Amino acid sequence: MSNIEQTLSIIKPDAVERNLSEKIKEIFLKNKLKILESKKIKLSVEEASEFYKVHQTKPFYNNLCKYLSSGPIIAMILEGEDAILKNRKLMGATDPKKADENTIRKMYGLSIDKNSVHGSDSPDNAKKEIDFFFNN
Ligand code: ADP
Ligand code: MG
């Protein structure tokens, strides 16, 4: 059975700053993830805090929100077969040092916080995160 999904991807400030957006988008396209929407924006720290509020009890929350709002990001809706899991696999582990070869974070991530990309981790979160960026 086919399972076409949509997921939210973000190219984070460290990767936008290093002009990696086109290279990262090519990886999605090569792996049969369509980019339905794409926009470059800069979030306020309040908006970033809202986006990442599932992490509000974590010790790294404040830095995380400051970081996501530190520069322009590119938010995208990706669509394809098993898009949520497929994107997570293409991204690699949260810590670039632990990510598999040829994953985006292994190739481009600088550190656990500056790890170049975000991707939704479940259908519920994908829907919420797509709404956050594209349905207002
Ligand atoms: P992922 O982005 O792989 O889904 P999480 O949802 O666990 O990872 O965390 C969200 C983001 O918070 C990560 O992408 C990373 O930027 C940051 N982060 C996670 N764990 C840490 C940590 N231990 N120290 C600093 N930043 C972290
Ligand atoms: Mg996550």
Side-chain angles (χ1 to χ4, degrees):
M1 273 255 298
S2 90
N3 180 41
I4 302 295
E5 294 175 331
Q6 294 183 358
T7 189
L8 183 89
S9 167
I10 300 175
I11 303 177
K12 292 184 177 181
D14 67 275
V16 174
E17 188 177 81
R18 287 177 290 146
N19 293 311
L20 294 168
S21 312
E22 288 311 312
K23 285 196 171 112
I24 292 172
K25 286 183 175 186
E26 273 170 31
I27 294 171
F28 296 141
L29 296 173
K30 240 190 282 175
N31 286 278
K32 295 188 186 159
L33 290 174
K34 284 186 203 164
I35 301 170
L36 294 188
E37 300 277 354
S38 174
K39 69 177 179 191
K40 190 174 189 177
I41 47 166
K42 189 174 177 302
L43 298 181
S44 66
V45 71
E46 291 78 16
E47 289 166 330
S49 305
E50 174 65 22
F51 178 76
Y52 268 137
K53 72 179 178 209
V54 291
H55 294 300
Q56 60 193 335
T57 60
K58 309 267 173 71
F60 55 82
Y61 179 63
N62 284 343
N63 281 339
L64 178 61
C65 300
K66 238 188 275 175
Y67 169 62
L68 193 70
S69 59
S70 66
I73 60 172
I74 296 173
M76 291 163 287
I77 303 175
L78 305 182
E79 185 182 82
E81 185 71 25
D82 298 323
I84 297 167
L85 189 60
K86 184 185 270 186
N87 180 41
R88 295 290 306 190
K89 285 186 175 159
L90 294 173
M91 289 163 60
T94 306
D95 183 351
K97 290 201 294 273
K98 296 180 183 160
D100 289 341
E101 291 302 321
N102 297 316
T103 59
I104 296 168
R105 283 168 164 173
K106 177 71 173 191
M107 291 191 286
Y108 302 130
L110 299 173
S111 57
I112 194 166
D113 46 336
K114 295 182 177 164
N115 58 8
S116 301
V117 281
H118 167 86
S120 309
D121 63 3
S122 66
D124 269 5
N125 285 336
K127 189 177 182 319
K128 282 184 201 151
E129 293 178 359
I130 287 170
D131 282 352
F132 180 89
F133 282 100
F134 293 100
N135 283 0
N136 42 48

